[in-house]
Amino acid sequence: MLAKTPSPPYYAVIFTSLRTDIDAGYEEMAEEMVHLAALQPGYLGHESARSGLGITISYWESLEAIRAWKVNSDHLIAQRYGREKWYSNFKTRIALVERDYGMNAE
Amino acid sequence: MLAKTPSPPYYAVIFTSLRTDIDAGYEEMAEEMVHLAALQPGYLGHESARSGLGITISYWESLEAIRAWKVNSDHLIAQRYGREKWYSNFKTRIALVERDYGMNAE
């Protein structure tokens, strides 16, 4: 469940959100977006957790790959529904991963 | 519950983890580390969620601030217990936040 990302540098899109109480269509959209993102060129993986606050991080080879996903037509619809219905607040941060290390000092 | 971070650039430390089934001392340590991190120079905020996978992101002014927190003596003890007892796997990623935007196109 931890994303298997390559050696840095690569990009992370950190999406932090608070949900409204509107559930209609949300889970289906979230699953579909994970599925579609994974088909995009330059996609490297994703990690997600929610306990009140939701955090989803997707990893990408380049800013160009992130831009292409941002303007994907199905993703644009999901983003509009997100603003209008599903999220009471969110923040998206685009970040360059410069260094990483893991459990066994990998 | 979303971190109120300043305009980029700033740094994010993305800590993704899977827990063991050992609970002794974990919650207390986690709370204490959040408390201690917030006292460090250059700390900007943090966001955390767990649902199976745990994701904790702390935000910092600089790499120097991140390094100083990494070698904080209480934090070093927590890191050792993390490797030995609490986490079955984890990954830490150091990333430069280049851009951000929010709910109201902030």
Side-chain angles (χ1 to χ4, degrees):
Chain A
M1 288 170 73
L2 274 73
K4 291 193 198 324
T5 41
S7 295
Y10 54 86
Y11 275 90
V13 177
I14 305 167
F15 178 73
T16 319
S17 66
L18 293 170
R19 290 270 286 109
T20 61
D21 54 4
I22 301 172
D23 284 334
Y26 175 74
E27 287 297 337
E28 295 82 347
M29 178 281 297
E31 279 178 32
E32 179 68 5
M33 289 306 113
V34 166
H35 173 71
L36 285 179
L39 298 176
Q40 289 284 125
Y43 170 88
L44 297 176
H46 94 286
E47 293 167 332
S48 192
R50 178 175 296 279
S51 47
L53 186 70
I55 305 176
T56 295
I57 308 173
S58 57
Y59 299 104
W60 301 88
E61 282 179 5
S62 66
L63 288 176
E64 290 65 35
I66 293 169
R67 280 189 207 111
W69 170 234
K70 188 170 189 340
V71 299
N72 169 286
S73 56
D74 292 320
H75 190 201
L76 285 173
I77 294 170
Q79 290 172 62
R80 200 185 69 208
Y81 285 173
R83 286 177 183 273
E84 291 175 0
K85 297 199 299 184
W86 291 316
Y87 300 120
S88 61
N89 201 359
F90 72 77
K91 187 121 186 168
T92 302
R93 294 176 172 97
I94 317 286
L96 176 65
V97 179
E98 299 181 347
R99 205 163 70 83
D100 64 13
Y101 56 92
M103 185 79 187
N104 304 302
E106 291 155 6
Chain B
M1 289 169 72
L2 275 73
K4 291 191 198 322
T5 41
S7 295
Y10 54 87
Y11 275 90
V13 177
I14 304 167
F15 178 74
T16 319
S17 65
L18 293 169
R19 290 270 285 110
T20 60
D21 54 5
I22 301 171
D23 285 334
Y26 175 73
E27 287 297 337
E28 296 82 347
M29 177 282 295
E31 280 178 31
E32 179 68 6
M33 289 306 113
V34 166
H35 172 71
L36 285 179
L39 299 175
Q40 288 284 124
Y43 170 88
L44 298 175
H46 93 285
E47 293 167 331
S48 193
R50 179 175 296 278
S51 48
L53 187 69
I55 305 176
T56 295
I57 308 173
S58 57
Y59 299 104
W60 301 87
E61 283 178 4
S62 66
L63 287 176
E64 290 65 34
I66 292 169
R67 280 188 207 109
W69 170 233
K70 189 170 188 340
V71 300
N72 169 286
S73 57
D74 291 320
H75 190 200
L76 284 173
I77 294 169
Q79 289 172 62
R80 198 184 72 209
Y81 285 174
R83 287 177 184 272
E84 291 175 0
K85 297 200 300 184
W86 292 315
Y87 301 119
S88 61
N89 201 357
F90 72 77
K91 187 121 186 168
T92 301
R93 294 177 172 95
I94 317 285
L96 176 64
V97 179
E98 299 180 348
R99 205 161 70 81
D100 64 13
Y101 56 92
M103 185 80 186
N104 304 301
E106 293 155 5

